[in-house]
Amino acid sequence: MFRLRTLCAFSWREFQFRSFSCEPLIIQMNKCTDQEQIFDLIERNKETLSEKQVECAFNNLWQLQKQKTSLLKNVEYVGDHPQFLTLHNLTTNKIKLMNDDTLVNVLYITQQFAVKAHDPLIQALVTEAWKRMESRFDIKVLSTFSTCLADQRLYFSPLMGKIADIVNRNLENIQDLRSLCVLMVNISSLISQHFQEQLVNKTELLFDNMSSPEVDIAKRIVQFLQNVKYRYYPLLERCNKVFLDNINYLDLDSVSKIFDGYQFLQFYSFEFVIVAKKRLTEMIPLFDNPASFVKLFVALGPVAGPEEKKQLKSTMLLISEELTSQQALAVVKAMEDMESRNSHLIKNYLKVSVIPSEISILVYAISMLPSPHLDEASVSRIEAVLPQCNLYGLNDFATSVLRWIQYDHMHMSSITGKQLKLLQKLDHYSHQRLQQSNNLDLLWEEVKSLKEDWFRESLVEETIAALHRLMDGMNCMNVSKIASFISRTNYLSTLLLDKIASVVIEQIEKIHPFSILAIILPFSILNYDPPQRNEFLGTCMQCLNSHLGTLDPIMLVFLGFSLATLEYFPENLLKTIFNIKFLARLDSQLEILPSSLRSRVQFRLMELNRAVRLECPEFQIPWFHDRFCQQHYNKDTGSMNGAQLQIYKMLAEVLGGINCVKASVLSPYYHTVDFECILDKRKKPLPYGSHNITLGKPPGMYWESNTQIVGSSLPPGVERIAFEFLDSKAFCRNVPHIKGKSAMKKRHLEILGYHVIQIPHFEWNSMALSQKDARLDYLREHIFGAGKS
């Protein structure tokens, strides 16, 4: 009886087991809801597992891992499981039987479970994939394999080079944009500029043929452009539209990477900033672990409002002791962008940092503290890393040391030898770096973000010399970058500007309209016309004309003003700007700008409006900035510096009394004039108040519309003279050549009926005019002519 019961029980268990196992093993694995169930199936079937079943086991284990909340913890658990080792050993024996897709998929998942690159299984899978990829891999399998190599940091390996070669030879036939984008990111360290352009063109073509491009594709395109340092606006605009359309599907990691890419490529999308800020603000309560919160802090902090910043800072203070050195560095950099500092956080990590870029950021942050100070250990740490630094790092150190010196001089009335010695070393390594530069693009990467003070005083001559030496490398890809840099130097190099103009004329079809403002800017600022002026400016406008309706309103305002400075007034551009719809778009954009930038844009629009009214009355564009100007000049009445005060007193002496000269006058259309006087037809000064005119009223006194032409209110033969003292800011750095804004102001005042006398600082402060009598004679000659008194 007992034996019968035992037999029955065994038969029932056997029946149950067989009813489960009669299903194919792959179906059983796919039904598993827990990794232990998969491991149980591996243990019971390890003698008979096929290569497809091995792949299925890996796939299901990985899918289950991705559903876990703590991925790393579960990855470690799976990797240490005895049955994972069984699966690992079984895989080694199945490699030759696997098809291409299975082979690469197993390699990818095995790496996700933290199996090391030197593991025999990984090496065997990579070796087999290498053998097959040339003749057998399709584009999807090749892209996955490239990701496996990238995960092993094999970006510069011969194997990755082979993949780049395969992509290059088959690019014309590739139609899968998702796979191509993965490949582009992974091979980006190995491609030539020509191959880069081919990839960008192919991507653009495939992107436009997609009905609804995916977010992942757009993210990889931005990552590729960032990797190759290529600010290609057409693709960036397309990707930005995808991000805007899918903002609710972007997680913290995605938004963070998009911000990083945009910042690196200097691509600005106010629409994305607004929606991303809202999205990130919603995430603040969701993250409390340091890694995630630091990422949120870095992404949201610089664009956050006051309340969000307060919330971010208070939470960061609570977790600051838990941060790694890399996380602390990221926070310090973000706080610098937020114009906020935490000295405790900074001085913790300066002591342990050894990487030049980290030390540079921390030292710069210290220099921004209310009481900056570096001890001996910090100075030694700086000196040790100087030979490894690029120009950007050296510049950051120099800026920090100069602040430190300034603070010590103000509060301790002394400058120590170690400070001066450090500055000398910084100067030496910077000049050495410039002299050794041999690639224009690499040079620009280093100088593009140099801070003004130290660079202007110590490096500008050497930098211009390097640009002269390398300018044959100027092309459509970098011409706007070089032009933008020259704009910041205030250094007039006709050689470089002529080269920029010729590159633009020859290669305009390859230059994006977004780049035109940067190209025009140095010519406008430095008041320089290249020999082929009309062809150059006409070519630039030809590039812009078909894009006027889509370009950023702020960019068009700055562009219009820059061209007006050069006395160039394209009618299409001006009609686009001075249009109700355009101005409404501009207003909506101004609402989200920082106050300083908003004021700058508004002022540039006013200046453009004034220039068009005065220089192109035939366009009949109305003047609509009276109220704006009155508000602005009511706030800013100005004050005279030492030189202006001297001139004011001497003018009074020359003209016969203080009542014959006016200071700080507003002209029609609101140009500020340093001094003004009126001469009758016999060149005799007229005192103010003796005739009925409205000009010459001091700031704060206004009439309905300040647009009256000067000559119309004066008796016949009477002349109004405007005196302008031009300080060093009105001239190019290296030559006494007047810059664009001062030249434009002189034109406008002359149109308004003034006789304009400009007094350059280098003349007024020269040895020839060191005595009072010489200065009085100088003023008499300019007012009355030679030999007059």
Side-chain angles (χ1 to χ4, degrees):
M1 187 68 174
F2 172 76
R3 292 171 65 187
L4 182 61
R5 283 199 302 271
T6 302
L7 179 62
C8 289
F10 174 78
S11 300
W12 175 243
R13 285 198 305 273
E14 183 72 9
F15 173 76
Q16 281 185 314
F17 175 76
R18 287 186 176 182
S19 67
F20 181 71
S21 62
C22 69
E23 290 183 320
L25 186 57
I26 287 179
I27 294 177
Q28 294 180 50
M29 287 182 180
N30 289 338
K31 287 183 175 180
C32 291
T33 57
D34 185 85
Q35 57 206 20
E36 296 300 333
Q37 294 175 342
I38 297 174
F39 286 140
D40 184 54
L41 289 172
I42 292 170
E43 183 180 16
R44 287 195 276 111
N45 295 276
K46 59 188 175 186
E47 302 297 334
T48 60
L49 283 176
S50 70
E51 69 277 5
K52 272 293 177 188
Q53 291 164 342
V54 166
E55 180 188 24
C56 183
F58 274 114
N59 274 336
N60 281 286
L61 284 171
W62 182 236
Q63 291 304 317
L64 288 169
Q65 288 311 302
K66 290 197 289 187
Q67 297 168 16
K68 305 286 185 181
T69 54
S70 180
L71 185 60
L72 182 60
K73 179 181 176 182
N74 286 283
V75 163
E76 290 174 346
Y77 171 79
V78 172
D80 293 336
H81 197 285
Q83 293 311 314
F84 187 81
L85 181 60
T86 301
L87 186 62
H88 173 285
N89 294 335
L90 284 168
T91 305
T92 306
N93 299 324
K94 306 289 182 184
I95 288 176
K96 296 290 184 185
L97 301 173
M98 294 177 179
N99 64 31
D100 299 340
D101 190 62
T102 299
L103 177 77
V104 174
N105 192 37
V106 167
L107 171 62
Y108 175 78
I109 295 173
T110 306
Q111 290 185 182
Q112 303 312 304
F113 283 115
V115 179
K116 302 298 183 185
H118 56 73
D119 185 277
L121 174 59
I122 298 291
Q123 291 182 344
L125 288 166
V126 170
T127 302
E128 183 64 24
W130 192 340
K131 293 176 183 176
R132 298 185 191 185
M133 70 175 185
E134 174 68 42
S135 58
R136 295 170 51 174
F137 280 6
D138 63 25
I139 186 69
K140 184 177 179 182
V141 174
L142 192 67
S143 71
T144 306
F145 184 44
S146 73
T147 298
C148 296
L149 298 178
D151 288 344
Q152 296 183 36
R153 303 290 187 267
L154 296 175
Y155 296 106
F156 298 96
S157 66
L159 192 46
M160 194 70 88
K162 188 65 177 175
I163 292 175
D165 180 57
I166 293 171
V167 175
N168 187 28
R169 286 187 280 110
N170 295 278
L171 186 59
E172 189 175 340
N173 299 321
I174 294 174
Q175 299 301 318
D176 179 0
L177 182 56
R178 174 190 280 271
S179 297
L180 179 60
C181 287
V182 173
L183 284 162
M184 286 163 56
V185 171
N186 293 331
I187 67 175
S188 57
S189 301
L190 299 171
I191 62 177
S192 66
Q193 184 171 318
H194 177 66
F195 187 17
Q196 170 188 308
E197 291 174 9
Q198 288 180 307
L199 288 170
V200 167
N201 293 337
K202 183 69 176 183
T203 302
E204 200 169 9
L205 177 66
L206 295 178
F207 198 101
D208 290 341
N209 290 335
M210 295 183 72
S211 56
S212 54
E214 302 170 14
V215 169
D216 284 346
I217 290 175
K219 285 194 297 183
R220 288 192 181 103
I221 291 172
V222 172
Q223 179 65 57
F224 170 74
L225 294 174
Q226 183 178 354
N227 287 359
V228 298
K229 302 182 175 83
Y230 185 18
R231 184 176 54 192
Y232 187 66
Y233 289 112
L235 272 181
L236 287 170
E237 289 170 318
R238 289 170 171 85
C239 293
N240 191 60
K241 185 177 186 311
V242 173
F243 299 145
L244 292 173
D245 292 342
N246 295 275
I247 190 66
N248 292 329
Y249 301 101
L250 296 179
D251 58 12
L252 171 60
D253 191 59
S254 297
V255 175
S256 179
K257 286 180 178 176
I258 293 166
F259 269 142
D260 285 346
Y262 282 6
Q263 184 177 13
F264 182 87
L265 294 166
Q266 296 180 344
F267 176 78
Y268 304 105
S269 167
F270 292 101
E271 295 88 350
F272 182 75
V273 169
I274 291 302
V275 296
K277 175 185 170 184
K278 181 176 182 294
R279 177 82 173 133
L280 291 173
T281 302
E282 293 167 355
M283 297 180 188
I284 292 178
L286 305 179
F287 299 108
D288 53 6
N289 68 80
S292 297
F293 191 78
V294 165
K295 190 172 288 187
L296 178 65
F297 187 95
V298 169
L300 178 58
V303 298
E307 285 303 313
E308 292 90 358
K309 282 184 180 178
K310 185 177 179 181
Q311 195 175 351
L312 288 169
K313 287 178 188 176
S314 60
T315 305
M316 182 55 67
L317 201 59
L318 295 175
I319 65 170
S320 62
E321 296 297 333
E322 304 173 48
L323 303 183
T324 66
S325 59
Q326 286 295 318
Q327 290 167 349
L329 187 69
V331 170
V332 167
K333 200 166 185 306
M335 291 179 77
E336 184 185 321
D337 294 336
M338 296 161 66
E339 299 180 347
S340 174
R341 283 112 205 158
N342 185 319
S343 57
H344 169 71
L345 192 65
I346 296 166
K347 293 175 178 176
N348 256 4
Y349 293 100
L350 178 59
K351 295 176 182 177
V352 297
S353 293
V354 294
I355 300 172
S357 58
E358 291 185 6
I359 296 174
S360 171
I361 291 169
L362 292 168
V363 169
Y364 184 73
I366 286 177
S367 75
M368 300 295 287
L369 296 172
S371 301
H373 179 70
L374 291 173
D375 56 24
E376 291 288 348
S378 299
V379 172
S380 299
R381 190 169 291 276
I382 293 171
E383 290 179 335
V385 300
L386 291 185
Q388 307 169 49
C389 290
N390 60 19
L391 285 170
Y392 181 73
L394 292 167
N395 179 247
D396 268 354
F397 280 131
T399 304
S400 305
V401 173
L402 286 170
R403 280 204 186 95
W404 177 26
I405 289 174
Q406 186 179 24
Y407 177 83
D408 282 0
H409 184 66
M410 288 173 60
H411 297 275
M412 301 166 62
S413 300
S414 67
I415 300 174
T416 64
K418 65 182 177 181
Q419 296 168 333
L420 295 176
K421 183 181 176 183
L422 195 51
L423 270 183
Q424 288 171 351
K425 286 188 175 182
L426 285 162
D427 195 64
H428 166 75
Y429 284 115
S430 300
H431 280 82
Q432 185 182 74
R433 186 100 184 162
L434 283 167
Q435 290 160 6
Q436 293 173 352
S437 60
N438 57 12
N439 181 286
L440 187 60
D441 292 314
L442 295 179
L443 175 63
W444 181 81
E445 285 296 328
E446 292 197 28
V447 302
K448 65 180 180 181
S449 300
L450 296 185
K451 296 176 179 68
E452 295 296 320
D453 293 343
W454 182 67
F455 165 73
R456 185 166 52 239
E457 296 304 320
S458 299
L459 296 182
V460 66
E461 298 278 352
E462 195 71 56
T463 306
I464 295 295
L467 290 173
H468 283 167
R469 192 175 70 250
L470 302 172
M471 73 177 184
D472 286 343
M474 205 181 296
N475 55 45
C476 61
M477 305 280 285
N478 58 29
V479 66
S480 66
K481 300 173 184 178
I482 305 303
S484 178
F485 173 76
I486 292 172
S487 301
R488 293 171 44 218
T489 66
N490 280 329
Y491 193 103
L492 178 59
S493 166
T494 58
L495 198 64
L496 286 173
L497 292 176
D498 289 348
K499 179 66 174 178
I500 289 170
S502 71
V503 168
V504 170
I505 291 170
E506 292 167 10
Q507 303 183 35
I508 190 63
E509 70 282 353
K510 298 178 182 177
I511 297 173
H512 192 272
F514 271 26
S515 301
I516 297 300
L517 173 59
I519 289 168
I520 294 289
L521 211 52
F523 297 89
S524 167
I525 291 173
L526 300 172
N527 188 29
Y528 178 70
D529 286 334
Q532 62 276 55
R533 173 190 189 272
N534 291 336
E535 185 181 6
F536 167 61
L537 295 176
T539 300
C540 288
M541 277 312 303
Q542 186 181 351
C543 175
L544 284 168
N545 279 335
S546 59
H547 299 272
L548 291 177
T550 57
L551 289 172
D552 180 68
I554 291 174
M555 179 189 294
L556 289 182
V557 169
F558 283 121
L559 180 66
F561 173 76
S562 297
L563 290 170
T565 306
L566 290 166
E567 298 182 79
Y568 193 77
F569 297 91
E571 189 171 0
N572 285 350
L573 175 62
L574 296 174
K575 286 186 175 179
T576 298
I577 293 173
F578 295 104
N579 172 283
I580 296 296
K581 289 183 180 179
F582 176 92
L583 294 173
R585 278 178 63 209
L586 180 64
D587 280 342
S588 64
Q589 196 164 337
L590 290 176
E591 290 176 6
I592 64 173
L593 290 180
S595 59
S596 58
L597 180 55
R598 180 168 61 247
S599 298
R600 189 168 162 233
V601 175
Q602 290 170 327
F603 206 77
R604 283 290 180 266
L605 181 65
M606 180 277 289
E607 290 178 305
L608 176 59
N609 189 194
R610 175 171 63 197
V612 175
R613 283 289 295 169
L614 290 174
E615 300 191 60
C616 299
E618 68 275 12
F619 289 162
Q620 297 185 332
I621 290 173
W623 166 253
F624 53 92
H625 278 92
D626 261 331
R627 183 178 298 176
F628 171 82
C629 289
Q630 290 171 15
Q631 290 172 345
H632 174 78
Y633 289 109
N634 269 331
K635 293 175 187 174
D636 181 21
T637 57
S639 59
M640 284 189 277
N641 60 34
Q644 288 172 321
L645 194 58
Q646 280 182 339
I647 294 170
Y648 183 47
K649 290 178 179 177
M650 291 186 184
L651 280 173
E653 190 170 338
V654 167
L655 294 168
I658 203 76
N659 63 331
C660 291
V661 59
K662 284 271 187 182
S664 301
V665 179
L666 281 179
S667 79
Y669 292 98
Y670 301 91
H671 271 302
T672 56
V673 177
D674 288 345
F675 311 105
E676 179 190 281
C677 74
I678 303 170
L679 303 182
D680 66 16
K681 59 185 178 182
R682 295 183 300 277
K683 293 283 187 179
K684 181 181 178 182
L686 295 177
Y688 282 87
S690 63
H691 41 79
N692 183 26
I693 57 172
T694 56
L695 255 92
K697 293 185 179 181
M701 297 178 65
Y702 297 97
W703 42 93
E704 185 174 348
S705 179
N706 183 13
T707 58
Q708 184 180 13
I709 301 299
V710 170
S712 65
S713 62
L714 294 174
V718 172
E719 179 182 43
R720 190 181 296 274
I721 300 176
F723 298 88
E724 284 287 293
F725 176 74
L726 302 180
D727 62 16
S728 59
K729 292 178 182 178
F731 295 92
C732 299
R733 173 188 172 82
N734 55 317
V735 289
H737 178 77
I738 195 166
K739 287 163 64 178
K741 283 194 70 175
S742 295
M744 173 191 266
K745 182 175 181 179
K746 184 172 187 287
R747 290 199 310 271
H748 289 179
L749 291 175
E750 287 173 343
I751 290 170
L752 289 167
Y754 283 95
H755 169 59
V756 181
I757 297 174
Q758 292 182 325
I759 305 172
H761 71 98
F762 51 82
E763 289 185 4
W764 186 254
N765 296 320
S766 66
M767 287 295 294
L769 299 185
S770 59
Q771 300 299 315
K772 180 181 177 182
D773 287 345
R775 286 177 168 172
L776 291 171
D777 288 342
Y778 175 89
L779 292 174
R780 287 191 189 99
E781 183 176 339
H782 279 79
I783 297 169
F784 304 114
K788 300 288 184 179
S789 61

